[in-house]
Amino acid sequence: SNTIWAFALIGDYTPNSILFLDALATSAKGKMDLFNSRDLAMMLRGYATLNHSSPELFDSLSHQSIKLLPTFNSQEIANTVWAYASLGHSASELFHAISKLVIDRIDT
């Protein structure tokens, strides 16, 4: 996640970047269990900042985010929602879980 975010900050999006981002997505999909809430949110934010769509990665990140959602802080939730919205990637289960979490946090 730190690598993708650093790459996004550089903002140099070239044909070689696309290959790198696709390879990183493939690698990340096999390592979802190693990610914490910050890692998930930063990876999503990095891809969205670069406007690089990776549907399979975003599906995997969505499933892992749902599992770890109670550990997300407000900034991680905001970054996650922004990333999916920015790339127009549907994640209805994740958005439903986020909505429920936010309502629960407001009520407490």
Side-chain angles (χ1 to χ4, degrees):
S1 67
N2 289 334
T3 302
I4 187 63
W5 181 238
F7 200 75
L9 290 176
I10 293 169
D12 187 24
Y13 195 69
T14 66
N16 286 334
S17 305
I18 294 168
L19 294 174
F20 170 74
L21 294 170
D22 289 344
L24 188 61
T26 299
S27 176
K29 285 186 291 186
K31 297 179 174 130
M32 285 291 137
D33 290 340
L34 301 176
F35 288 22
N36 61 34
S37 59
R38 181 186 175 281
D39 295 332
L40 295 167
M42 292 303 288
M43 180 159 280
L44 288 162
R45 185 176 177 195
Y47 275 84
T49 298
L50 290 166
N51 198 31
H52 184 82
S53 180
S54 183
E56 289 181 12
L57 174 63
F58 269 52
D59 288 345
S60 294
L61 290 167
S62 174
H63 295 298
Q64 187 66 12
S65 294
I66 290 169
K67 291 179 191 175
L68 297 179
L69 201 53
T71 67
F72 275 58
N73 65 34
S74 59
Q75 185 64 56
E76 293 161 349
I77 291 170
N79 288 343
T80 298
V81 170
W82 175 82
Y84 281 92
S86 292
L87 291 176
H89 187 92
S90 178
S92 58
E93 288 180 48
L94 175 60
F95 277 43
H96 176 75
I98 288 173
S99 298
K100 184 176 178 337
L101 177 69
V102 170
I103 291 168
D104 289 346
R105 286 185 182 177
I106 289 171
D107 288 343
T108 57

